Amino acid sequence: MAAIPQVPPPTPEEIAIVKSTVPVLEEHGVTITKTFYANMHREIPALNEVFNQANQKNGHQARALAASVLAYAKYIDNLAVLGDAVETICQKHASLLIQPEQYSIVGKYLLEAIKEVLGDAATDAVISAWGACYWQLAYLFINREEQIYTEKANRDWREFIVEKKIKESDEITSFYLKPKDGKPVEQYQPGQYISVRVAVPQQEWKQIRQYSLSTSQDPSHYRISVKRACDIDAENTAHPGWVSNVLHETVQEGDTLDLTFPCGSFHLDSKTTPDAPIVLISGGVGLTPLMSMLNTLVDEGSDRPLTWIHSTRSQNSYAFGDYIKATMKSKSDWHAIVYRQDLASSEHAENYKVLGGRINLRALGRSTDLHLDNPNTQYFICGPDSFMLDLKEVLVSLGAAAGNVKYERFGTGDVVKKEKPVVLAQTTGVCPVSHAHAESGLRCPISGLQEQTVA
Ligand SMILES: Cc1cc2nc3c(=O)[nH]c(=O)nc-3n(C[C@H](O)[C@H](O)[C@H](O)COP(=O)(O)OP(=O)(O)OC[C@H]3O[C@@H](n4cnc5c(N)ncnc54)[C@H](O)[C@@H]3O)c2cc1C
Ligand code: HEM
């Protein structure tokens, strides 16, 4: 591995040059980062194991890197603005065990890609200024990542045994993961995630994915709850997600999985606002980090008022329903509102109601449900991008402080309003994914196809 160069901080002239390249980055940033990844992976194939290959193929990681480099160039003279973004990146890097020496590799290929894409516009002065600024950012990351590593008992991959595999719904299965070395798991904050590394049959390289810890701290094991992913493309071809399908289909109780330690900046902070109400809002599998927060509050015997708001497609796709119902009953100041898209009429139980349709925050009680009367109320949202952006917008328009509304993206980079054109799956047909459905006529939770009985 190359040594980390000792590069002095950028000079005011170099900063000015980098700032002057912002319009060019706005235009060519994604082309530069795509070129960077293509060249780097071609010449160092082992990095295919570090980078999520789905995010390479769909361009999400190139977009995430381009956006962060652009933000850096824009705010180079006020890096404090980037605080939360830097923390999110460093937590993700640490979860993937990114090492200081790897910054030399990334720096080399990034500068070469800038040269390749910009051609004559990339003068020596531009490349040298970007070199100095790259290292300023790299040192910022390296130092923060080192701090995260030193907080962990174990800073390498660690083997875990799948102790139990429990089906929570048609789509979501929980994995109880026990350290093979018999030592306790790492401490974590409710809402954090771990990385899991598995061999994937379709891929030459192992693949790493993040999964939120879905329950409160227990020294003997972690629990993750994984949705089996599948999308349909424009040709109506099903694409089962690589890692989640291996976890659902191949990995069995007693098998071993490689895991890193818990990371992430989306978590409940019981110290700064210990009495403030909490509103947990999730869509589909986005409930996992919120389950960890909820269970931590249960364990702590918390008296904080709490509202659980969840959206699910159908009864079959609804995970942890009975648990949520029972938990809400246990506290007078806690209640849940669950939206089921397949439900025509509503259902009511103690502190728990199920409504038809999608989440409609404006129809809920300002103080009773959303606790908008308390300026310290903490809102945590996890679900698809548009879901999170829309709900945050509504909460802020209703009076919630934007800084109190946090969300977690189950992907790379920042949330994007319209990520890709929605491809309408054909509504009928034989599901191409080999798995059993409970009844004919239901929408397949994996392929999205409406199942038909074939004679
Ligand atoms: C911080 C964080 C926390 C997370 N927590 C959880 C969690 O608690 N539970 C959970 O289930 N997930 C969670 N995720 C998501 C998880 O990491 C994986 O992204 C998810 O399991 C899908 O991975 P995969 O390998 O199965 O799919 P991939 O192979 O990575 O594919 C991603 C998606 O693209 C689709 N796709 C692939 N190829 C094509 C194609 N050619 N055309 C159209 N679509 C295609 C797949 O069907 C899939 O839906 C989290 C992610 C992050 C970043
Ligand atoms: C200054 C240099 C770097 C910048 C600006 C940068 C930027 C980013 C950003 C913005 C993300 C997305 C984070 C998220 O939203 O979760 C990310 C993720 C990632 N980074 Fe970096 N990074 C840098 C250096 C590195 C290095 C040295 C490596 C090691 C090879 C690396 C490997 C990764 C990986 C593997 C991911 C996850 C990708 C995925 O999930 O698809 N990065 N980085």
Side-chain angles (χ1 to χ4, degrees):
M1 284 283 182
I4 313 168
Q6 293 304 308
V7 179
T11 62
E13 292 74 28
E14 287 170 330
I15 290 179
I17 292 177
V18 162
K19 276 186 95 78
S20 73
T21 61
V22 165
V24 185
L25 283 179
E26 264 162 348
E27 196 182 339
H28 300 291
V30 175
T31 314
I32 292 171
T33 52
K34 277 190 173 160
T35 306
F36 151 77
Y37 281 119
N39 293 346
M40 188 173 74
H41 283 122
R42 193 178 51 247
E43 291 181 30
I44 312 180
L47 283 177
N48 284 302
E49 188 164 310
V50 181
F51 284 91
N52 174 329
Q53 290 308 299
N55 288 340
Q56 291 296 308
K57 289 200 167 49
N58 60 26
H60 290 185
Q61 182 52 25
R63 191 181 64 201
L65 181 60
S68 70
V69 171
L70 177 63
Y72 168 72
K74 272 187 181 166
Y75 301 110
I76 191 164
D77 33 20
N78 183 14
L79 289 181
V81 174
L82 303 178
D84 288 352
V86 167
E87 186 61 14
T88 303
I89 298 170
C90 292
Q91 292 286 339
K92 180 68 75 64
H93 281 169
S95 167
L96 290 153
L97 296 170
I98 300 306
Q99 297 303 311
E101 310 81 52
Q102 291 173 318
Y103 281 85
S104 298
I105 302 172
V106 165
K108 171 180 178 296
Y109 286 95
L110 194 56
L111 292 183
E112 284 178 7
I114 294 177
K115 250 189 201 162
E116 189 179 326
V117 174
L118 299 188
D120 291 345
T123 60
D124 288 351
V126 166
I127 295 299
S128 153
W130 261 106
C133 291
Y134 169 82
W135 278 104
Q136 184 190 36
L137 187 59
Y139 288 131
L140 191 73
F141 286 2
I142 291 170
N143 288 332
R144 175 64 189 127
E145 285 155 24
E146 184 55 30
Q147 258 177 9
I148 300 173
Y149 292 137
T150 51
E151 287 159 9
K152 310 293 174 189
N154 186 41
R155 45 191 295 175
D156 205 347
W157 289 102
R158 191 172 171 200
E159 288 185 318
F160 280 71
I161 311 279
V162 179
E163 196 180 14
K164 265 191 297 179
K165 205 176 154 184
I166 307 277
K167 193 170 153 77
E168 310 285 4
S169 76
D170 274 6
E171 302 175 342
I172 300 176
T173 292
S174 287
F175 296 78
Y176 291 71
L177 306 165
K178 196 172 94 176
K180 203 172 178 177
D181 59 19
K183 294 184 184 149
V185 302
E186 297 271 355
Q187 293 273 338
Y188 63 88
Q189 302 288 334
Q192 290 191 305
Y193 57 82
I194 42 131
S195 284
V196 178
R197 182 173 68 179
V198 297
V200 175
Q202 303 90 326
Q203 287 281 317
E204 186 183 344
W205 305 96
K206 285 185 179 172
Q207 285 292 288
I208 304 172
R209 296 290 184 271
Q210 288 70 46
Y211 292 101
S212 305
L213 295 157
S214 65
T215 190
S216 50
Q217 180 86 42
D218 180 324
S220 70
H221 67 269
Y222 295 133
R223 184 181 77 177
I224 57 171
S225 305
V226 178
K227 177 184 169 185
R228 195 174 157 189
C230 185
D231 283 321
I232 307 289
D233 67 13
E235 279 82 45
N236 271 320
T237 311
H239 295 277
W242 286 322
V243 172
S244 60
N245 280 273
V246 165
L247 291 172
H248 275 246
E249 290 285 302
T250 316
V251 172
Q252 301 301 338
E253 291 177 359
D255 287 353
T256 302
L257 287 177
D258 292 339
L259 265 61
T260 54
F261 36 73
C263 284
S265 42
F266 176 80
H267 55 76
L268 192 62
D269 178 2
S270 304
K271 293 194 187 87
T272 37
T273 47
D275 305 319
I278 299 182
V279 179
L280 303 173
I281 312 178
S282 54
V285 72
L287 86 180
T288 53
L290 310 188
M291 283 293 293
S292 180
M293 296 182 189
L294 178 69
N295 287 348
T296 303
L297 293 165
V298 170
D299 290 356
E300 289 173 356
S302 174
D303 287 326
R304 299 173 71 165
L306 178 139
T307 309
W308 175 272
I309 302 173
H310 179 66
S311 170
T312 183
R313 246 190 0 263
S314 66
Q315 180 59 31
N316 291 343
S317 65
Y318 182 26
F320 302 113
D322 291 341
Y323 177 79
I324 296 294
K325 199 183 215 173
T327 306
M328 295 301 136
K329 227 167 136 180
S330 68
K331 298 261 185 187
S332 59
D333 233 359
W334 288 15
H335 67 283
I337 305 152
V338 175
Y339 291 84
R340 252 179 53 197
Q341 288 161 30
D342 66 338
L343 194 70
S345 56
S346 57
E347 291 171 16
H348 291 265
E350 199 181 335
N351 293 357
Y352 180 88
K353 57 185 168 198
V354 186
L355 305 174
R358 292 170 193 271
I359 293 180
N360 180 1
L361 294 183
R362 292 186 194 281
L364 297 182
R366 280 184 62 86
S367 53
T368 47
D369 297 321
L370 299 179
H371 299 286
L372 286 160
D373 49 342
N374 187 327
N376 293 323
T377 299
Q378 301 292 303
Y379 301 88
F380 293 90
I381 313 180
C382 190
D385 280 8
S386 297
F387 173 94
M388 296 194 288
L389 285 177
D390 290 348
L391 293 181
K392 178 165 183 175
E393 205 175 291
V394 173
L395 283 171
V396 171
S397 75
L398 290 171
N404 290 345
V405 186
K406 310 228 166 48
Y407 50 69
E408 177 78 307
R409 181 168 200 245
F410 279 5
T412 191
D414 205 359
V415 287
V416 180
K417 183 79 179 172
K418 286 260 181 300
E419 199 168 31
K420 53 180 181 184
V422 177
V423 178
L424 291 176
Q426 68 187 67
T427 51
T428 58
V430 186
C431 171
V433 186
S434 63
H435 61 278
H437 301 301
E439 292 166 52
S440 169
L442 288 178
R443 183 169 290 278
C444 162
I446 305 301
S447 70
L449 289 175
Q450 191 88 32
E451 281 275 73
Q452 257 186 347
T453 306
V454 183

